[in-house]
Amino acid sequence: MTKVIFRDHAGETREVEAKNGTSVMEVAVANMIPGIDADCGGACACATCHVYVGDAWMGKLKAKEDMEDSMLDFAENVQDNSRLSCQILLSDDLDGIEITTPESQ
């Protein structure tokens, strides 16, 4: 099991446990985390699961593939630490990962 710490734009946090191999998006949807809509269900075909990854965790993620990079063009307020949560698969290396959801527009 891997711990995921979700933080909203106002700083409120929720910690949840999830199985390794599960995407951050799946964890967010299962735990009704506000700000992660996941309209495409994890197919990397929208940007409604856009999140900000804590800086300490960026180097532990696999590199963005072209499809994810293209989809982030549709997200608002993209930053250097922006990722699509459907593309982040949990593993022991990501135990305690910090995820911030963008402010809803």
Side-chain angles (χ1 to χ4, degrees):
M1 297 293 274
T2 300
K3 179 170 62 174
V4 181
I5 302 167
F6 289 99
R7 182 173 289 113
D8 68 19
H9 65 279
E12 185 176 325
T13 61
R14 281 184 57 197
E15 291 184 16
V16 298
E17 294 274 333
K19 291 181 183 178
N20 287 345
T22 306
S23 74
V24 169
M25 179 218 70
E26 291 170 315
V27 175
V29 170
N31 289 279
M32 298 189 300
I33 301 295
I36 299 179
D37 296 332
D39 289 344
C40 75
C44 197
C46 71
T48 62
C49 69
H50 170 231
V51 295
Y52 304 118
V53 176
D55 292 337
W57 301 96
M58 288 299 292
K60 296 182 180 192
L61 300 180
K62 69 176 183 118
K64 279 186 246 179
E65 293 184 7
D66 291 341
M67 181 65 116
E68 179 181 4
D69 211 27
S70 294
M71 284 296 109
L72 280 169
D73 288 341
F74 296 100
E76 295 186 28
N77 302 315
V78 172
Q79 302 174 4
D80 290 342
N81 63 339
S82 288
R83 294 296 300 260
L84 296 181
S85 60
C86 67
Q87 300 301 298
I88 302 171
L89 297 181
L90 296 175
S91 66
D92 288 338
D93 290 342
L94 298 180
D95 188 32
I97 189 169
E98 297 175 11
I99 301 292
T100 303
T101 55
E103 186 171 2
S104 297
Q105 298 299 320

